Amino acid sequence: MSNDTNSIDMSSIERRQFDTLIIGAGGGGLRASLQLAEADLSVAVVSKVFPTRSHTVAAQGGMNAALANVSPDNWHWHMFDTVKGGDYLGDQDSIEYMCRAAPKAVYELEHFGVPFSRLDNGKIYQRAFGGQSQNFGGDQAARTCAAADRTGHAILHSLYQQNIRAKTHFFDEYFAVDLLKDDEGRVLGAVVFNIQDGQITVIEAKTTLLATGGAGQLFKTTTNALINTGDGMGMAMRAGIPLQDMEFFQFHPTGIAGRGMLITEGARGEGGYLVNGDGERLMERYAPKAKDLASRDVVSRAIAIEVREGRGCGPNKDHVMLKLDHLGEAVIQKRLPGIRQTCITFLGIDPAEAPIPVFPTAHYTMGGIPTNRYGQVVVPVKDTPEEPVAGLYAAGECACVSVHGGNRLGGNSLLDILVFGRAAANHIIGYLKENKYHRVIDDEVIKKVVEKVNRFDQQGSGDETVAGLRKELKQTMEEHCSVFRNKEILKQGVDKVEQLAQRMKNVKVDDQSFTFNTARVEAFELENLMACALATIHSAYAREESRGAHSRTDFIERDDKSWMRHSLYSFENGLDYKPVRTRPLSVESFPPKPRVY
Amino acid sequence: MKFKIYRFNPENDTKPHVQDYELNDIEPGTMLLAALLRIKDEQDQTLSFRRSCGEGVCGSDGMNINGVNGLACITPLDDLKQPIEVKPLPGLPVIRDLIIDMDQFYKQYRAVKPYLIVNDPMPEVELPQTPEQRERLDGLYECVLCACCSTACPSFWWNPDKFLGPAALLQASRFIEDSRDQDFEKRLEELEGPFKLFRCHTIMNCVHVCPKGLNPTKAIGRIKAKMVTRSL
């Protein structure tokens, strides 16, 4: 890494060429890389952490697919539940594609070695999860395929193992700074640096797939890992690509109160339920039929209302209780061993004996980089709302395809990453047949990005620290963009986040070492989080309705006439909108209806 | 609360040193990782360590804590004697501060072919497995690859290139025990010889330190038993 930005010696920069560059080694990235490696293409997977540290590892409850191993089921019911769960903001072509592909995606994983829990007949175990129904809103379905409550761990490790077999090329602990784009808007790879020694590498790729995960670190209390800083979303925004539907951020109903650790929805799927300070089963009032297995946005709002109206638990009445002890120790140990251990470790509470204090906690970014169902990144160009960006793909939580609409169903995120990781890879295989050769990248394009790599060591007055700004940002988002929102709170939030983004210019990183400089990495991560925060708070302020996870106390109804459309926020153009794709691939569209559980 | 933390940056230091830090107002129940993050945020941004999930699932923050290997994010400060001594995991090269070079560890992991091998054509649905067959994988598949076990193992310290180490052998067992795997014979065959598996002298450090409560020594014993049966 040169310390003199004015004279970058291009010959000193390592350059590598691959058919495909994948940024991110969670489930989406690794499913795609496996598909590509098996098609005999050269694939580079760049990840800022060793692949099995990616956040897919923390997914607990499972993955939805209409296998009908436990209850009668079919993909069309799954599709209905997903459209309804997303409060009619999801694109129905993508949703049909995902739900149809789900059983195959699960069987593939099983063949890769995933140790799914089993039924007595030897088939994959499935549990009930929120928002699942038989026959378009009828009885509860059991659609979530599980490996105890460690499904993400089981899937991520199996995918990494299969990639070892397929000899995928890994760049472990490399940080991707920015995309390389030519004058025609084609994406030609990225500039990355090796965290271990600071060396910069230009990775030239005919196709680039962003699979960098969500931005859960936007909030103070979050179930998300520290690495979930919206890196791909930040890179996309700096490449002039808008982010879609960022106002829709999921708050999981059952994070451990005040701490944030996730307690899987599978706990309620196995028969657990929520009680308030008066000992009532609170969900009976909010969702008489589905009760504790209503959609996550519905359950989170219910808990927030209980606490707000003084019916919380504990000395400060600031949480509710999740009761599991009636399930018995045997069931808890067999089906929920991971969360049992988490409760014992962090609370000193064994859920087999006592209830768990829980509160809604930031969990999932429904929005992201806009794509079509092939994983191609799409942007508005003149009158076309969705024009593919040549060479660029996105999949998983960093993308918005959009299958989750305004609220994701539990068990659909693992499904999303696997189905669309694979779909993106398949589209890339086709694209590479038409685009056989690497294009020349202008030195100036590379220099511009390389200059940025050590800018945090040199620029800025040094009045601000990464840790200080990050703390303020997370506090601001928690206070101004949480479960319930209104105009005044959001306006203050917009102003504060804008100021924080300005102050980012005064950041200087003291640690200028080349060797495993995590302080520098954190500065880049904060820059990415800032971009996500701006998109989130601006989109939330503008959307004057309540839909899915976006609940406005000043606009309590869903307004399909004005707002059944996707938000797009970019640095260049601010807010823009595009229509929801309401037409599925082969079945009839599900028109918007009142959403009751 | 007082901390003594191992520091080394090859760019500036010829040898490692110990740096003292002190934190006030630590709430009961705080984990070591939270303390390290506070030191980095409030006092010294050059202090370097790996971390991610914060709940013992990703396996990033393995370190040596008061002489015992463990994950910082699930090690409560309340249980630790002061000053708390934090060092990198032993036995592998240090890159910087608490960050070790894990290449050798991962190499041994890859050496056991840690993936399901099925030679028959795959069915259109799942390969069947009874709950009892599946239960044999419990205690094996949950490994988070934190390296706490292998870097606590004297046999691995002396021969990190020849002895596979407890973590890799636990993975070997995970596939040997899987009713779906069809490479059973070869997997056992490839573990023959004086080093790969048989350097395990059942010292059981791996069992004592595993943050996930797994038992690599038992897994190694299961493999040995299968090798004996096979040789008869």
Side-chain angles (χ1 to χ4, degrees):
Chain A
M1 201 176 291
S2 160
N3 265 334
D4 182 357
T5 52
N6 296 321
S7 61
I8 291 163
D9 176 11
M10 292 297 291
S11 63
S12 73
I13 295 170
E14 186 190 36
R15 293 175 81 134
R16 304 284 297 270
Q17 287 195 333
F18 293 91
D19 291 324
T20 303
L21 163 63
I22 297 176
I23 303 174
L30 293 185
R31 182 66 191 84
S33 62
L34 182 60
Q35 192 82 352
L36 292 162
E38 293 198 322
D40 277 335
L41 296 165
S42 68
V43 195
V45 179
V46 166
S47 172
K48 64 180 178 180
V49 292
F50 180 76
T52 66
R53 323 280 178 221
S54 308
H55 195 54
T56 299
V57 81
Q60 298 176 354
M63 166 172 173
N64 296 338
L67 306 184
N69 286 356
V70 171
S71 64
D73 209 355
N74 72 57
W75 66 264
H76 202 186
W77 301 348
H78 182 189
M79 177 182 171
F80 169 79
D81 291 341
T82 303
V83 172
K84 177 184 170 186
D87 220 350
Y88 299 90
L89 190 71
D91 289 336
Q92 296 193 22
D93 56 342
S94 302
I95 295 173
E96 178 179 343
Y97 179 79
M98 178 178 80
C99 296
R100 273 179 178 276
K104 193 178 172 194
V106 170
Y107 294 138
E108 274 179 350
L109 287 176
E110 197 279 331
H111 298 167
F112 294 159
V114 173
F116 283 110
S117 300
R118 298 290 173 148
L119 297 160
D120 285 339
N121 64 8
K123 291 185 175 183
I124 292 169
Y125 172 74
Q126 296 187 281
R127 61 162 59 107
F129 243 57
Q132 297 182 347
S133 72
Q134 301 178 42
N135 209 9
F136 311 106
D139 291 344
Q140 175 72 40
R143 189 177 291 141
T144 306
C145 307
D149 61 352
R150 304 186 178 104
T151 316
H153 172 282
I155 290 174
L156 186 67
H157 280 252
S158 295
L159 282 173
Y160 179 60
Q161 292 163 347
Q162 287 298 323
N163 273 280
I164 292 174
R165 182 186 56 73
K167 300 192 172 60
T168 301
H169 202 113
F170 283 101
F171 288 74
D172 295 336
E173 301 189 320
Y174 278 68
F175 191 87
V177 178
D178 265 314
L179 297 169
L180 293 168
K181 236 176 130 181
D182 70 9
D183 293 345
E184 294 164 39
R186 239 170 246 284
V187 172
L188 304 173
V191 172
V192 306
F193 68 86
N194 184 346
I195 297 171
Q196 190 171 329
D197 62 11
Q199 274 300 314
I200 295 170
T201 299
V202 172
I203 299 188
E204 298 180 46
K206 297 172 208 167
T207 49
T208 301
L209 170 66
L210 296 169
T212 50
Q217 283 298 316
L218 280 174
F219 296 87
K220 185 177 160 215
T221 315
T222 173
T223 65
N224 278 209
L226 290 159
I227 56 171
N228 290 19
T229 51
D231 298 335
M233 299 176 191
M235 288 170 75
M237 273 189 80
R238 287 192 297 278
I241 293 157
L243 296 185
Q244 180 175 327
D245 295 341
M246 288 297 284
E247 65 271 43
F248 296 96
F249 202 96
Q250 180 165 80
F251 296 87
H252 196 291
T254 58
I256 292 180
R259 313 280 304 246
M261 289 80 193
L262 174 66
I263 303 297
T264 174
E265 189 166 304
R268 282 169 285 137
E270 297 290 346
Y273 56 84
L274 297 163
V275 288
N276 66 14
D278 301 333
E280 289 174 307
R281 280 193 70 168
L282 62 103
M283 284 313 297
E284 286 177 349
R285 267 184 287 127
Y286 297 90
K289 195 162 142 221
K291 299 193 181 79
D292 293 85
L293 290 178
S295 268
R296 286 181 179 169
D297 57 332
V298 174
V299 182
S300 283
R301 277 193 291 273
I303 296 171
I305 291 170
E306 291 295 301
V307 166
R308 198 172 61 190
E309 295 182 352
R311 292 187 297 278
C313 302
N316 302 321
K317 298 190 172 203
D318 56 0
H319 58 268
V320 298
M321 289 291 186
L322 174 60
K323 194 170 145 24
L324 298 180
D325 55 320
H326 58 287
L327 300 177
E329 191 186 345
V331 169
I332 291 173
Q333 190 51 37
K334 188 168 184 192
R335 301 296 184 203
L336 305 164
I339 61 111
R340 184 185 191 193
Q341 194 54 54
T342 296
C343 290
I344 292 170
T345 303
F346 286 96
L347 296 170
I349 290 173
D350 183 348
E353 288 164 8
I356 311 166
V358 294
F359 195 72
T361 304
H363 184 59
Y364 187 86
T365 319
M366 260 83 69
I369 305 158
T371 74
N372 59 24
R373 71 190 155 86
Y374 307 108
Q376 291 178 287
V377 173
V378 290
V379 295
V381 177
K382 289 183 190 137
D383 296 336
T384 321
E386 302 190 325
E387 187 67 27
V389 177
L392 186 63
Y393 295 76
E397 194 172 341
C398 75
C400 184
V401 45
S402 130
V403 284
H404 309 305
N407 167 68
R408 176 175 69 77
L409 291 187
N412 267 357
S413 65
L414 286 173
L415 178 61
D416 170 13
I417 63 177
L418 291 153
V419 165
F420 291 104
R422 186 176 181 278
N426 284 339
H427 197 275
I428 287 170
I429 292 168
Y431 178 92
L432 289 171
K433 284 184 184 143
E434 313 277 309
N435 296 271
K436 290 201 165 87
Y437 305 104
H438 286 274
R439 285 164 192 271
V440 177
I441 308 176
D442 196 272
D443 275 0
E444 290 308 308
V445 173
I446 294 172
K447 277 184 186 168
K448 241 193 229 163
V449 182
V450 169
E451 273 177 17
K452 290 170 69 176
V453 177
N454 50 3
R455 71 186 182 284
F456 288 116
D457 303 350
Q458 328 208 346
Q459 295 177 351
S461 56
D463 299 344
E464 304 285 357
T465 63
V466 168
L469 281 183
R470 185 175 55 208
K471 194 173 173 190
E472 279 190 59
L473 178 68
K474 288 160 73 99
Q475 187 70 39
T476 302
M477 291 300 285
E478 188 114 330
E479 284 170 12
H480 294 274
C481 208
S482 191
V483 175
F484 287 109
R485 305 159 174 188
N486 67 42
K487 187 169 196 150
E488 196 193 337
I489 289 175
L490 284 166
K491 180 70 180 79
Q492 291 167 359
V494 166
D495 294 344
K496 284 187 183 177
V497 174
E498 287 282 2
Q499 284 166 16
L500 288 166
Q502 286 302 316
R503 286 164 59 194
M504 188 77 201
K505 289 175 185 151
N506 300 328
V507 162
K508 194 169 175 191
V509 176
D510 294 338
D511 186 350
Q512 303 196 5
S513 169
F514 298 130
T515 311
F516 226 108
N517 187 335
T518 51
R520 182 183 287 129
V521 170
E522 286 179 25
F524 282 111
E525 289 176 331
L526 181 61
E527 186 177 47
N528 291 327
L529 274 180
M530 276 302 173
C532 295
L534 284 167
T536 304
I537 197 95
H538 275 287
S539 304
Y541 176 57
R543 184 174 286 270
E544 298 189 329
E545 65 157 352
S546 289
R547 182 187 296 273
H550 177 68
S551 298
R552 293 277 302 247
T553 52
D554 45 352
F555 297 93
I556 55 171
E557 299 295 329
R558 192 178 75 201
D559 177 359
D560 292 321
K561 206 161 151 246
S562 308
W563 287 103
M564 205 171 121
R565 51 183 184 161
H566 296 296
S567 311
L568 294 171
Y569 180 84
S570 67
F571 286 136
E572 292 79 9
N573 303 322
L575 278 162
D576 190 5
Y577 295 92
K578 68 175 183 182
V580 173
R581 294 196 298 266
T582 52
R583 189 176 301 180
L585 301 173
S586 71
V587 293
E588 281 189 32
S589 181
F590 291 110
K593 276 196 215 162
R595 193 160 155 259
V596 282
Y597 283 100
Chain B
M1 196 169 278
K2 289 184 165 61
F3 298 84
K4 283 186 171 305
I5 302 182
Y6 176 106
R7 303 297 312 269
F8 176 67
N9 183 342
E11 285 173 54
N12 317 321
D13 306 327
T14 47
K15 56 180 202 252
H17 62 279
V18 172
Q19 192 164 342
D20 294 327
Y21 296 95
E22 196 168 345
L23 283 175
N24 298 317
D25 309 320
I26 290 180
E27 284 176 32
T30 301
M31 299 294 170
L32 174 60
L33 178 63
L36 294 175
L37 289 169
R38 257 187 71 188
I39 291 171
K40 188 171 177 68
D41 284 356
E42 296 167 12
Q43 298 180 21
D44 183 356
Q45 60 173 252
T46 67
L47 177 64
S48 303
F49 46 93
R50 294 186 176 105
R51 82 289 179 276
S52 182
C53 77
E55 52 186 44
V57 189
C58 77
S60 297
D61 60 350
M63 47 190 79
N64 186 274
I65 306 154
N66 280 353
V68 182
N69 293 353
L71 294 176
C73 61
I74 52 173
T75 300
L77 293 170
D78 310 339
D79 302 348
L80 299 172
K81 196 175 142 254
Q82 286 193 54
I84 297 163
E85 292 184 4
V86 188
K87 294 181 197 162
L89 291 175
L92 290 173
V94 174
I95 297 173
R96 176 176 175 177
D97 298 344
L98 302 174
I99 297 165
I100 55 162
D101 182 344
M102 295 175 75
D103 279 0
Q104 190 60 45
F105 173 79
Y106 295 135
K107 205 174 147 200
Q108 299 297 41
Y109 169 70
R110 289 194 299 268
V112 301
K113 293 197 286 189
Y115 40 82
L116 192 73
I117 296 175
V118 179
N119 301 317
D120 294 342
M122 287 291 184
E124 312 90 279
V125 296
E126 65 266 65
L127 294 158
Q129 189 171 48
T130 66
E132 293 72 32
Q133 289 171 327
R134 168 60 184 76
E135 248 170 51
R136 297 184 69 83
L137 306 182
D138 285 340
L140 301 174
Y141 82 96
E142 303 92 326
C143 173
V144 298
L145 297 178
C146 64
C148 286
C149 61
S150 292
T151 60
C153 172
S155 298
F156 188 76
W157 293 340
W158 307 140
N159 293 291
D161 51 339
K162 293 186 202 143
F163 174 54
L164 290 166
L169 289 166
L170 187 87
Q171 288 296 324
S173 177
R174 180 248 172 275
F175 289 97
I176 287 167
E177 294 293 336
D178 197 320
S179 59
R180 300 168 295 174
D181 192 82
Q182 297 181 336
D183 206 38
F184 178 79
E185 291 289 329
K186 219 162 158 202
R187 287 185 189 279
L188 291 182
E189 203 174 291
E190 284 171 5
L191 294 173
E192 295 283 2
F195 279 101
K196 284 182 183 170
L197 174 119
F198 285 96
R199 269 286 137 157
C200 169
H201 297 314
T202 53
I203 298 165
M204 295 184 63
N205 282 1
C206 54
V207 184
H208 295 305
V209 299
C210 178
K212 304 306 288 181
L214 309 178
N215 191 330
T217 307
K218 191 172 152 203
I220 292 167
R222 276 161 84 176
I223 301 175
K224 282 181 180 167
K226 286 199 157 70
M227 290 171 106
V228 171
T229 317
R230 182 172 161 270
S231 66
L232 290 177

